[in-house]
Amino acid sequence: MALRRVGIIGSGNWGSTIAKIVGTNVHLLNNFQKEVRMWVYEEEVDGKKLTAIINDQHENVRYLPGIRLPTNVVATPDLCYAAQDADVLVFVMPHQFLQRACTQIKSVLKPGAYGVSLIKGLALSNEKGIRLLTDLIRDELQIPCGVIMGANLASEVSLENYCEATIGAKDLAIGRELKMLFQTSYFRMTIIKDEVGAELCGALKNIVAVGAGIIEGLGYGDNTKAAVIRLGFMEMKSFIYQFFGDRDPQEGTFLESCGVADLITTCYGGRNKRMGIALATSNKSLQELEKEQLDGQSAQGPLTASEVYVMLERLKLLDRYPLFTAVHRICTRELPATGFVRCLEDHPSHM
Amino acid sequence: MALRRVGIIGSGNWGSTIAKIVGTNVHLLNNFQKEVRMWVYEEEVDGKKLTAIINDQHENVRYLPGIRLPTNVVATPDLCYAAQDADVLVFVMPHQFLQRACTQIKSVLKPGAYGVSLIKGLALSNEKGIRLLTDLIRDELQIPCGVIMGANLASEVSLENYCEATIGAKDLAIGRELKMLFQTSYFRMTIIKDEVGAELCGALKNIVAVGAGIIEGLGYGDNTKAAVIRLGFMEMKSFIYQFFGDRDPQEGTFLESCGVADLITTCYGGRNKRMGIALATSNKSLQELEKEQLDGQSAQGPLTASEVYVMLERLKLLDRYPLFTAVHRICTRELPATGFVRCLEDHPSHM
């Protein structure tokens, strides 16, 4: 029987962490080729190519310094070389590059291959407003695509601290193979069929985290923060049922790592919460705050809030999502941060 | 039509906060008597009786200093006087006194009265191991009994900071009346029918909070803590379905304030989490730690963990509740705190 192969598309801190795990696991699996190719966006570090450094030193000195990668993980700057021959394509890259990557690898795909996305975010679409990143992969490449989502800070996972993740895969055979490839003694996996719900939780939670930050910045205590997190959670759920109800979302998904655990982690740490605090404690624009605090990078939450806002406005549903709506308006400075709590007083969840 | 009446059984910081809210609300309700009697366990403060101080100064200087109570809240040291004539009996007292209070007021109850419990905890029973506090009320007084549970730190609610709570009431008419009595612009209520699930969440979450504290004390990060909180949440759910499945628990309850929000608040603040940290960072016994840090009072979490442990052991179910089990064993010092994470590696939720 031909041995199967994994290709990893991406090599940031999460991609490199995942390469460490998958590289270690395939070593122990009889039905997989030992070599795992990892696509690296080529750049120079101290005058040397990053791929060369990774292949010589077995460390991604740029994005995951200090963590040894297994020697069977092979870095390549050639996207097609990383993808061709792979039965399992692991997408773990910034979401803005996904479309281009799909276009590039389309023609070299191995028949029968499937994808798994570890990317948290949304794409824009003209019809619906937002589009799942996995739908982009599915449509563009004509392959099935699962997700792995959860409360996973790369830095902690790479240090082998105990945590969990959720595998979302409609096809149970795919779910089981992904579990074999990704689970370790410290990185524990639950398989669910609701790949759409899992992916959407991963994207929408960032809006809630901005809200949690705003509340913290305004000086409220744990009670109010817990209320905001929960109301955001309820809006995530409503949104998923409202716009993706035809794709069989499951209530149980919200209690998985991709749901409640990722939400908690994000609302107590991370850049989206930080942006929320900054919005509540200064009068500067979001862009200025991102420049000051995130080196000019964008936080995902305000972006997702704005995409979701456009959809809700078009369908006249803003009053059913007061938290999502208020977060967006605070991000654009239409609404002062101090007006946030007032917006939650008549929440539909209390009707 | 005869006017209805509320009696409040208890006057600690939560009881006094609730008296403030209910006292204010009945003023605006046409079908309620203005007077709200509040039972106070009589004690002396600076040589004066606490009931007299409350009735003169309209402030519970002992348990809720600085917060003005409405003048229609009348403190009484006479439990029967507080309970008689009341159509709505609000139980908000330390759970160890509940049995005795029920015995005392049994004979004076007004026909048609119902109860609502705001007490978080469990009673012991010989048959099942644990018993709901509301079952004690229901059985002893032969009245219906709802609950109000949620992420509600009395100090924050009394300052009118925005938060939420869940009304659990099988009888929707009771639920609606409770909402009229308890909801304010800053204290928002959702009514659910699953009173049993709501009450159990309020009690069991304290075990999880000890676990969250242990993880924090061991120096783990947000990832691992989120995993522990979620696994504890899953065990709460399993436990409720396993032992109270015949009483119609609902999946949706876990996403209410009494579920996820109260769990988060308790795992990020409060005495149970503090005990967890202490257990992980010293070798002292639980009793010594409680003496040092809680003035000798007991934390609820270790107590509940021990009650639950006895039940699970008797039914040979310990391996299906590894987190509850490990928390109990760490509290008794049978297991070193450092062994906690190892116990979670093969969690049934990952099967």
Side-chain angles (χ1 to χ4, degrees):
Chain A
M1 212 175 79
L3 294 178
R4 292 172 67 74
R5 180 184 270 277
V6 182
I8 299 179
I9 314 297
S11 52
N13 65 343
W14 190 216
S16 303
T17 300
I18 283 303
K20 174 189 161 178
I21 289 176
V22 173
T24 307
N25 278 348
V26 293
H27 240 305
L28 309 167
L29 297 172
N30 294 325
N31 57 331
F32 272 83
Q33 288 187 27
K34 303 301 173 216
E35 184 185 83
V36 173
R37 291 186 201 136
M38 173 171 79
W39 174 61
V40 176
Y41 180 82
E42 191 68 283
E43 55 188 296
E44 296 219 332
V45 179
D46 297 333
K48 272 187 80 180
K49 287 185 171 163
L50 182 55
T51 50
I53 298 174
I54 295 175
N55 290 332
D56 288 350
Q57 301 177 24
H58 306 292
E59 181 184 340
N60 186 339
V61 293
R62 181 72 195 262
Y63 296 106
L64 194 64
I67 302 294
R68 201 181 155 72
L69 301 177
T71 53
N72 56 323
V73 170
V74 175
T76 169
D78 180 344
L79 182 55
C80 287
Y81 182 67
Q84 74 193 32
D85 311 324
D87 301 278
V88 185
L89 285 159
V90 181
F91 293 92
V92 52
M93 62 201 302
H95 76 291
Q96 58 270 32
F97 304 133
L98 182 62
Q99 172 76 61
R100 205 172 53 194
C102 286
T103 309
Q104 278 185 263
I105 63 175
K106 197 171 175 170
S107 60
V108 304
L109 284 195
K110 182 170 172 184
Y114 68 84
V116 58
S117 167
L118 280 66
I119 316 171
K120 288 174 183 172
L122 292 168
L124 283 172
S125 97
N126 288 331
E127 310 111 62
K128 217 172 183 175
I130 60 164
R131 183 184 186 195
L132 299 184
L133 296 176
T134 52
D135 279 345
L136 194 161
I137 295 169
R138 290 181 193 110
D139 297 346
E140 204 66 38
L141 302 180
Q142 295 291 312
I143 58 173
C145 189
V147 294
I148 296 181
M149 297 279 149
N152 306 135
L153 300 170
S155 54
E156 297 186 21
V157 181
S158 68
L159 292 171
E160 307 196 355
N161 286 340
Y162 180 85
C163 71
E164 300 182 292
T166 309
I167 296 169
K170 233 188 219 164
D171 179 336
L172 196 58
I174 289 182
R176 288 210 191 99
E177 185 168 82
L178 290 173
K179 187 162 179 169
M180 282 202 315
L181 289 170
F182 286 86
Q183 181 162 278
T184 71
S185 63
Y186 57 89
F187 190 45
R188 311 302 296 174
M189 298 274 151
T190 306
I191 307 171
I192 62 172
K193 290 198 155 197
D194 179 12
E195 49 194 22
V196 170
E199 183 173 2
L200 282 162
C201 281
L204 296 171
K205 60 139 214 277
N206 290 323
I207 309 179
V208 186
V210 177
I214 293 170
I215 279 296
E216 210 177 300
L218 291 172
Y220 283 94
D222 285 330
N223 257 2
T224 309
K225 187 165 169 184
V228 165
I229 294 174
R230 192 194 80 83
L231 289 171
F233 206 19
M234 297 305 270
E235 292 191 18
M236 287 166 57
K237 187 177 154 188
S238 291
F239 186 91
I240 291 171
Y241 277 96
Q242 184 139 41
F243 294 101
F244 295 86
D246 55 332
R247 293 176 70 178
D248 205 19
Q250 299 291 312
E251 182 111 3
T253 301
F254 299 95
L255 298 186
E256 295 297 341
S257 179
C258 63
V260 64
D262 196 11
L263 179 68
I264 294 174
T265 306
T266 316
C267 288
Y268 279 88
R271 52 166 63 174
N272 289 296
K273 192 198 81 168
R274 227 157 75 219
M275 274 302 105
I277 295 178
L279 285 161
T281 51
S282 96
N283 290 318
K284 296 183 185 161
S285 73
L286 179 68
Q287 292 67 33
E288 285 176 274
L289 294 169
E290 286 179 338
K291 210 166 168 181
E292 278 178 23
Q293 301 202 12
L294 305 179
D295 244 351
Q297 293 186 313
S298 295
Q300 199 66 49
L303 201 67
T304 307
S306 137
E307 292 161 0
V308 161
Y309 182 87
V310 171
M311 278 177 79
L312 296 174
E313 193 181 32
R314 195 190 297 163
L315 297 166
K316 302 196 190 312
L317 288 169
L318 289 176
D319 55 344
R320 286 165 69 177
Y321 296 87
L323 187 142
F324 285 179
T325 301
V327 165
H328 171 68
R329 288 184 171 152
I330 292 169
C331 287
T332 60
R333 295 308 199 182
E334 286 164 71
L335 179 74
T338 48
F340 189 40
V341 167
R342 180 66 197 83
C343 296
L344 304 180
E345 273 180 17
D346 297 313
H347 198 278
S349 149
H350 304 134
M351 294 300 124
Chain B
M1 211 176 79
L3 293 176
R4 295 172 65 73
R5 180 183 268 279
V6 182
I8 298 180
I9 315 296
S11 53
N13 64 345
W14 191 217
S16 303
T17 300
I18 282 305
K20 174 190 162 179
I21 290 176
V22 173
T24 307
N25 278 347
V26 293
H27 241 303
L28 309 168
L29 296 173
N30 293 326
N31 57 331
F32 271 85
Q33 288 186 27
K34 304 300 174 217
E35 185 186 84
V36 173
R37 290 185 201 136
M38 172 171 79
W39 173 62
V40 175
Y41 180 82
E42 191 68 283
E43 55 188 296
E44 298 219 331
V45 179
D46 297 334
K48 272 188 77 179
K49 286 185 171 163
L50 182 55
T51 49
I53 299 175
I54 294 174
N55 290 332
D56 289 350
Q57 301 177 25
H58 306 291
E59 180 183 341
N60 187 339
V61 293
R62 180 72 194 260
Y63 296 106
L64 194 65
I67 303 294
R68 201 180 154 72
L69 301 177
T71 54
N72 56 324
V73 170
V74 176
T76 169
D78 180 343
L79 182 56
C80 287
Y81 182 67
Q84 74 194 31
D85 310 325
D87 302 278
V88 184
L89 286 158
V90 182
F91 293 92
V92 53
M93 63 199 302
H95 76 289
Q96 59 270 30
F97 305 133
L98 181 63
Q99 172 76 60
R100 205 172 53 195
C102 286
T103 309
Q104 277 183 265
I105 64 176
K106 197 170 177 171
S107 59
V108 304
L109 284 196
K110 183 169 170 185
Y114 68 83
V116 58
S117 167
L118 279 67
I119 316 172
K120 289 174 184 172
L122 292 169
L124 283 172
S125 99
N126 288 332
E127 310 111 63
K128 219 173 182 175
I130 62 165
R131 183 184 186 194
L132 299 183
L133 296 175
T134 53
D135 279 344
L136 193 161
I137 295 170
R138 290 181 193 110
D139 297 345
E140 204 66 38
L141 303 179
Q142 295 291 311
I143 58 174
C145 189
V147 294
I148 296 182
M149 297 279 148
N152 306 134
L153 300 171
S155 54
E156 297 187 22
V157 180
S158 68
L159 292 170
E160 306 195 357
N161 286 339
Y162 180 86
C163 71
E164 302 182 292
T166 308
I167 296 169
K170 233 188 221 166
D171 179 338
L172 196 57
I174 289 182
R176 287 210 191 97
E177 185 167 83
L178 291 174
K179 188 163 178 166
M180 282 203 315
L181 289 169
F182 286 87
Q183 181 163 276
T184 69
S185 63
Y186 58 88
F187 190 44
R188 311 302 295 172
M189 298 274 153
T190 306
I191 306 171
I192 62 171
K193 290 198 153 193
D194 178 13
E195 50 194 23
V196 170
E199 182 173 3
L200 282 163
C201 280
L204 296 171
K205 59 141 217 274
N206 289 324
I207 308 178
V208 187
V210 177
I214 293 170
I215 279 296
E216 211 177 301
L218 291 173
Y220 283 93
D222 285 330
N223 256 3
T224 309
K225 187 164 168 185
V228 164
I229 294 174
R230 192 194 79 84
L231 289 171
F233 205 20
M234 296 305 271
E235 292 190 18
M236 287 165 58
K237 187 177 154 191
S238 291
F239 186 91
I240 291 171
Y241 277 96
Q242 184 139 40
F243 294 101
F244 295 86
D246 54 331
R247 293 175 72 178
D248 206 19
Q250 299 291 312
E251 181 111 3
T253 301
F254 299 96
L255 299 186
E256 295 296 340
S257 180
C258 63
V260 64
D262 196 11
L263 179 68
I264 293 174
T265 306
T266 316
C267 288
Y268 279 87
R271 53 166 64 172
N272 290 296
K273 191 198 83 166
R274 228 157 74 221
M275 274 302 107
I277 295 177
L279 286 162
T281 51
S282 95
N283 291 317
K284 295 180 184 162
S285 72
L286 178 69
Q287 292 66 31
E288 285 174 274
L289 294 170
E290 286 178 338
K291 210 167 170 180
E292 278 177 23
Q293 301 202 11
L294 306 179
D295 244 350
Q297 293 186 313
S298 294
Q300 200 66 48
L303 202 65
T304 308
S306 135
E307 292 162 1
V308 161
Y309 182 87
V310 171
M311 279 176 80
L312 296 175
E313 192 181 31
R314 196 190 296 164
L315 297 166
K316 302 196 190 313
L317 288 169
L318 289 176
D319 55 345
R320 285 164 69 178
Y321 295 87
L323 187 142
F324 285 179
T325 301
V327 166
H328 170 68
R329 288 186 173 153
I330 292 169
C331 287
T332 60
R333 295 308 200 181
E334 285 164 71
L335 179 72
T338 48
F340 189 39
V341 168
R342 180 68 197 82
C343 296
L344 305 179
E345 275 181 17
D346 297 312
H347 198 279
S349 150
H350 304 135
M351 293 303 122

